[in-house]
Amino acid sequence: MKAPTTWSILAAAAALHQSAVSALSAAEWRSQTIYQVMTDRFARTDGSTTARCEMSDQTYCGGSWLGIAQQLDYIQGLGATAIWISPFVKNVQGKSRDGESYHGYWAQDIWEVNPRFGTAEDLIFLADAIHARGMYLMADVVTNHMAWLGPGNTVDYSIYRPFSNASAYHTPPCVIDYSNQDSVERCWQGTDAASLPDLRTEDPRVRQVFNAWIKREVRRFGFDGLRLDSAKHVEPSFWPAFEASAGVAAFGEVFHGDPVYVAPYQDVMSGVMNYPVYYWLTQAFQSTTGSIWNLSNGIKTLIATARDLTLYGGFLENHDQPRFLNHTSDRTLLKNALTFSLLMDGIPIIYQGLEQGFNGGETPYNREALWQTGFNTQSELYRWISKFVSLRSTLAALDGGYLFYKSQPIHTDDHTIAMRKGFDDGQVVSVYSNVGTNRTYSVSLAQEDTGFRPCKLILEVVQCRPYVTDATGVLKATSGSGEPLVFVPADKVMGTGICAGGIGKRPPPPPPPRRHKPSPPPPPPSGTSTASAARFSTTRLAVESTDYNLDSIGRFNNITLSPCLTSQL
């Protein structure tokens, strides 16, 4: 299909739904799934899927706001309900040893938009197109610094708007001592190739300008939320008035792995990015020797420390970190870590390209051009993400308390962690392992941990296979592929399409009339008690029932009224 022209896209704007969209409250952000776009690297206005973009050049590649608007089907098809775009203000132009300002974080004039991404009208068009789909727009904003292509002692402050005098900055430049919080907030980020003049955000005049600016921009462009860049480099007292002026929820980039350090920032802003879990999760699953125990213990510390985990932004990748597949080529390890990040507490964030299996390393190699994939919606990881985003959304819609249930480890060993999220009859019990591709692991989970009743029919969502707990409520399961196991009450997902297409063969025809007395079922292994015999039988049921598709799963509903014996099928 021929890509629409710039003129046709702009001409279509008048036909879009443009009624005012109420800004999302922090509470309303809880149920969203965010797709992070690097504007210059997502989609081009000309619709090209072959345009060159060499990451090592660190130059603009031509991505635009109108390009994003052309690919909203792709983002929405993944299950995302909100789009986070790169900083939108005018950046310094020119090339340094650190490249150009294609990422958007090197501001020069906060009152103008970045012309390399499009016009103000283009950004308004994108916002309208997103809102017309019932989706939301998050803007990345930078208040900590401006940018200069050269050493800090050569800055010409007159080029900036509105902060055109050195008195608005922490001068002279100093190198950050990350063991000293005052230094973190007052010294300069950047390099000698591209220094980042640090603004005196403690100055009431600087605060007044920023508060007026964000109030105008949110209303001008219809932003529904903000991502706060370099949040830990700005004194905390700056943020409450800034978020209040914006009138939308704000989520801070508190780039730190200690949950005790991160937690207090939620006292001054709605939410934060979940860097602690990012570090634990990556370390646990990037190899078969990663520490599952560190992840499990970290989650417990986070639960005890965080103010409100439902407003932590959970992610496995972003534009500042190496891709997960740069740590390992094992996609099964990726699937475990990815599923964990989608189903854990908080708001899932998907960085563009994760769904296509990108494997770039440190910056700039983690900023690939997505258009070169042709926006493939049939890739394995695109479909994988879509399934688990849908599962989260389904369970949240069925139970208003689901998102508030604190997901906790219910089983941990050297290679496996099992998590439970959700109240009884609406819970997800998920099991993750770092054994790797085509390796086997098994779990046995008790009723007091999972909440699944005895003889309960449940569905494993990865393979779309039914299981039944035994007569004491124990769930026994094995993965022969190394992939995660995700269990939900079967009745909660029937008819949702999460396991559309069935889970195997059609149900067999009814058996012919019996002419002889049926043979008794085979005995359990020697030395097995009566109680464990029931457990043995229900484990067999879970295995044997995989020959039936989801449409016929209802035939097992009577299992809750039986001793769970295979012979009763």
Side-chain angles (χ1 to χ4, degrees):
M1 182 176 67
K2 185 178 179 181
T5 64
T6 303
W7 181 89
S8 66
I9 291 175
L10 290 173
L16 283 174
H17 170 70
Q18 297 200 27
S19 61
V21 175
S22 299
L24 285 187
S25 66
E28 291 169 315
W29 272 102
R30 289 189 178 102
S31 60
Q32 307 307 317
T33 297
I34 300 170
Y35 186 80
Q36 181 193 353
V37 165
M38 177 156 275
T39 301
D40 182 64
R41 303 296 170 85
F42 180 71
R44 293 166 53 96
T45 301
D46 62 12
S48 174
T49 57
T50 59
R52 178 183 178 276
C53 182
E54 181 55 54
M55 290 172 286
S56 61
D57 289 347
Q58 302 190 75
T59 56
Y60 282 91
C61 288
S64 66
W65 294 316
L66 292 183
I68 298 171
Q70 293 179 44
Q71 296 298 335
L72 295 182
D73 283 347
Y74 175 86
I75 297 173
Q76 195 168 32
L78 195 61
T81 57
I83 301 172
W84 155 15
I85 59 172
S86 305
F88 57 93
V89 303
K90 183 179 179 180
N91 274 218
V92 293
Q93 296 301 303
K95 188 173 183 180
S96 71
R97 293 195 310 276
D98 290 339
E100 296 179 343
S101 58
Y102 66 92
H103 40 71
Y105 293 94
W106 292 352
Q108 178 181 354
D109 183 347
I110 68 172
W111 293 110
E112 297 293 334
V113 300
N114 190 335
R116 304 296 291 269
F117 297 159
T119 65
E121 290 73 22
D122 294 343
L123 183 51
I124 292 169
F125 173 81
L126 173 61
D128 286 342
I130 289 171
H131 292 150
R133 292 169 174 259
M135 299 172 71
Y136 303 98
L137 179 59
M138 173 179 281
D140 204 330
V141 296
V142 185
T143 62
N144 176 68
H145 57 260
M146 305 299 271
W148 174 254
L149 302 185
N153 59 6
T154 66
V155 175
D156 176 5
Y157 296 98
S158 68
I159 72 167
Y160 301 122
R161 183 170 177 254
F163 307 112
S164 58
N165 191 292
S167 63
Y169 300 84
H170 292 127
T171 56
C174 52
V175 177
I176 297 175
D177 173 4
Y178 282 95
S179 67
N180 182 319
Q181 185 61 29
D182 186 67
S183 175
V184 169
E185 294 171 7
R186 292 174 178 269
C187 291
W188 292 25
Q189 298 182 81
T191 67
D192 279 346
S195 53
L196 304 178
D198 198 84
L199 283 158
R200 296 184 68 246
T201 46
E202 72 276 13
D203 186 325
R205 294 168 298 178
V206 172
R207 292 188 178 191
Q208 184 179 22
V209 169
F210 268 126
N211 292 343
W213 167 75
I214 196 60
K215 181 176 182 178
R216 186 189 88 152
E217 302 303 80
V218 166
R219 285 149 185 77
R220 181 185 182 194
F221 297 116
F223 298 134
D224 304 290
L226 304 175
R227 184 261 190 184
L228 308 176
D229 182 69
S230 301
K232 74 175 185 180
H233 293 276
V234 177
E235 71 284 353
S237 62
F238 172 87
W239 295 117
F242 183 79
E243 182 171 346
S245 297
V248 297
F251 300 83
E253 179 208 21
V254 184
F255 200 152
H256 204 286
D258 183 355
V260 176
Y261 180 95
V262 172
Y265 282 89
Q266 210 173 12
D267 294 335
V268 295
M269 58 187 65
S270 291
V272 293
M273 299 298 164
N274 200 339
Y275 267 97
V277 168
Y278 162 77
Y279 285 116
W280 301 328
L281 192 58
T282 301
Q283 195 277 332
F285 291 101
Q286 67 183 358
S287 76
T288 57
T289 60
S291 176
I292 298 294
W293 287 102
N294 191 48
L295 171 62
S296 179
N297 293 333
I299 293 292
K300 294 172 185 176
T301 301
L302 183 65
I303 290 172
T305 306
R307 307 308 197 250
D308 184 353
L309 269 177
T310 67
L311 294 174
Y312 273 51
F315 61 95
L316 185 63
E317 295 182 350
N318 67 24
H319 61 292
D320 288 325
Q321 305 298 326
R323 299 281 189 177
F324 189 89
L325 288 178
N326 187 258
H327 298 295
T328 176
S329 60
D330 190 330
R331 289 201 171 205
T332 298
L333 292 177
L334 168 61
K335 289 177 182 177
N336 278 273
L338 173 56
T339 309
F340 191 108
S341 73
L342 294 173
L343 296 181
M344 69 180 183
D345 293 337
I347 305 166
I349 301 174
I350 304 155
Y351 174 44
Q352 68 171 61
L354 174 56
E355 74 279 8
Q356 300 296 342
F358 284 176
N359 61 2
E362 298 280 356
T363 303
Y365 300 100
N366 53 359
R367 299 171 176 181
E368 306 94 325
L370 190 79
W371 60 75
Q372 294 177 347
T373 69
F375 302 98
N376 180 12
T377 60
Q378 297 304 309
S379 73
E380 180 187 24
L381 292 174
Y382 184 100
R383 298 175 70 181
W384 185 281
I385 291 171
S386 178
K387 170 182 280 194
F388 290 103
V389 169
S390 177
L391 177 63
R392 175 182 182 268
S393 299
T394 296
L395 294 175
L398 290 172
D399 179 4
Y402 175 79
L403 296 176
F404 294 91
Y405 188 100
K406 293 182 178 179
S407 180
Q408 302 208 31
I410 58 174
H411 167 86
T412 307
D413 61 40
D414 289 345
H415 290 285
T416 309
I417 183 171
M419 304 287 292
R420 173 185 171 168
K421 184 171 180 63
F423 298 95
D424 288 357
D425 295 323
Q427 70 268 50
V428 173
V429 173
S430 47
V431 187
Y432 310 96
S433 177
N434 66 3
V435 295
T437 297
N438 294 328
R439 300 293 299 275
T440 298
Y441 70 89
S442 300
V443 290
S444 179
L445 304 174
Q447 178 185 359
E448 56 263 32
D449 295 323
T450 67
F452 292 134
R453 300 189 305 273
C455 304
K456 175 68 176 177
L457 179 66
I458 53 182
L459 186 71
E460 196 288 300
V461 176
V462 173
Q463 295 295 325
C464 290
R465 291 181 175 179
Y467 282 73
V468 179
T469 56
D470 71 17
T472 65
V474 171
L475 169 62
K476 294 182 178 180
T478 296
S479 170
S481 64
E483 291 184 341
L485 297 165
V486 179
F487 299 99
V488 295
D491 60 311
K492 298 300 181 183
V493 294
M494 291 175 66
T496 63
I498 289 172
C499 280
I503 54 175
K505 305 173 185 176
R506 291 182 176 275
R514 295 184 184 273
R515 296 182 180 180
H516 306 287
K517 182 178 180 180
S519 301
S526 60
T528 305
S529 66
T530 303
S532 61
R535 290 195 293 272
F536 172 72
S537 297
T538 56
T539 300
R540 290 182 57 226
L541 169 61
V543 174
E544 292 175 3
S545 65
T546 60
D547 281 343
Y548 298 87
N549 64 30
L550 193 56
D551 294 334
S552 67
I553 203 169
R555 73 189 293 268
F556 296 129
N557 284 347
N558 68 331
I559 202 69
T560 58
L561 304 176
S562 78
C564 310
L565 296 178
T566 305
S567 60
Q568 293 188 329
L569 292 178

